[in-house]
Amino acid sequence: SQTIHQWPATLVQPVGSPLSLECTVEGTSNPNLYWYRQAAGRGLQLLFYSVGIGQISSEVPQNLSASRPQDRQFILSSKKLLLSDSGFYLCAWSVSGRQVYNEQFFGPGTRLTVL
Amino acid sequence: QKEVEQNSGPLSVPEGAIASLNCTYSDRGSQSFFWYRQYSGKSPELIMSIYSNGDKEDGRFTAQLNKASQYVSLLIRDSQPSDSATYLCAVYSPFKAAGNKLTFGGGTRVLVKP
């Protein structure tokens, strides 16, 4: 069965510090991978998605970046965090290539507080 | 007009009653429809997928899809306090979404009162 991991689970960082969040998927190959952010009391905002190694598409211009160095690893980074970067960061995966049965499955999330 | 719309709630339901959640979408080419449950502080969990018009039942959950009217609904029968959560509707539109992206509604908060 497939599982998705995210770490760390919680993070408190000062403004201006760097960020690295990691997501890994087990039990599947060549998944589509997604990074979402959910601000407190708000909906899901898609930040990045990837259909393969080294292939990153950005949905929202901001001070975040993403990388996919391995097939089942997705990393979210920032060089300098802003207060507005606080939120619940969710990684998700879906089976690639499917046009219909394309459910997304979410990891447990990382709660980031920028002070 | 938002692409996927949900009433934010809260939808207050007595224990044992039926909770009815609605979701409307704007793209007539949408092909796949999903309901996720999100408990406070947790990540979304997929609870229902529906792809064709009509009803799909899974335990106490029933998803209903009407493509002509562009809405999808979720019924929760015999609601329990443990059903108290935010329910997210998500839609896949193949001609608008590279990378199999989903469009999410803002969610409906459900409160089941004992």
Side-chain angles (χ1 to χ4, degrees):
Chain A
S1 63
Q2 301 85 7
T3 55
I4 178 168
H5 304 279
Q6 287 187 246
W7 63 89
T10 60
L11 192 60
V12 180
Q13 292 284 92
V15 170
S17 64
L19 174 73
S20 181
L21 303 180
E22 190 165 342
C23 169
T24 58
V25 181
E26 297 177 353
T28 187
S29 296
N30 193 33
N32 292 333
L33 296 172
Y34 311 85
W35 277 113
Y36 291 88
R37 177 171 60 201
Q38 190 173 39
R42 305 294 294 275
L44 293 172
Q45 179 187 32
L46 179 63
L47 302 175
F48 301 94
Y49 70 92
S50 171
V51 299
I53 296 174
Q55 301 178 63
I56 309 295
S57 296
S58 174
E59 290 292 296
V60 183
Q62 55 204 316
N63 69 320
L64 298 172
S65 62
S67 62
R68 184 170 176 174
Q70 300 180 41
D71 181 45
R72 290 169 289 177
Q73 184 185 30
F74 206 19
I75 296 172
L76 183 69
S77 304
S78 174
K79 292 182 179 179
K80 288 186 177 182
L81 284 168
L82 306 173
L83 285 174
S84 57
D85 290 325
S86 293
F88 192 35
Y89 286 81
L90 293 157
C91 181
W93 74 274
S94 70
V95 175
S96 63
R98 281 178 159 175
Q99 294 302 307
V100 178
Y101 304 108
N102 52 337
E103 304 93 336
Q104 287 185 17
F105 301 94
F106 287 85
T110 295
R111 190 162 303 280
L112 171 67
T113 303
V114 182
L115 300 175
Chain B
Q1 180 189 9
K2 292 182 181 179
E3 294 186 56
V4 179
E5 295 205 56
Q6 297 180 253
N7 188 316
S8 61
L11 176 65
S12 186
V13 180
E15 184 175 357
I18 296 175
S20 178
L21 292 74
N22 293 316
C23 170
T24 59
Y25 58 94
S26 60
D27 183 8
R28 286 196 169 273
S30 298
Q31 199 170 72
S32 311
F33 307 86
F34 309 96
W35 284 99
Y36 289 82
R37 177 177 62 198
Q38 186 175 23
Y39 291 116
S40 179
K42 301 296 185 182
S43 63
E45 173 193 10
L46 179 67
I47 56 172
M48 290 290 283
S49 307
I50 188 165
Y51 308 102
S52 55
N53 280 329
D55 295 0
K56 179 182 178 182
E57 187 174 317
D58 184 359
R60 294 186 296 110
F61 297 104
T62 299
Q64 300 174 318
L65 175 60
N66 185 322
K67 289 187 177 181
S69 299
Q70 295 177 243
Y71 81 80
V72 56
S73 61
L74 180 70
L75 301 178
I76 307 174
R77 292 184 301 280
D78 188 23
S79 296
Q80 301 297 310
S82 59
D83 295 324
S84 297
T86 297
Y87 290 81
L88 303 172
C89 173
V91 175
Y92 171 64
S93 304
F95 301 108
K96 295 180 65 176
N100 291 8
K101 293 182 294 182
L102 300 181
T103 302
F104 284 83
T108 298
R109 186 175 167 216
V110 173
L111 295 174
V112 181
K113 299 187 174 180

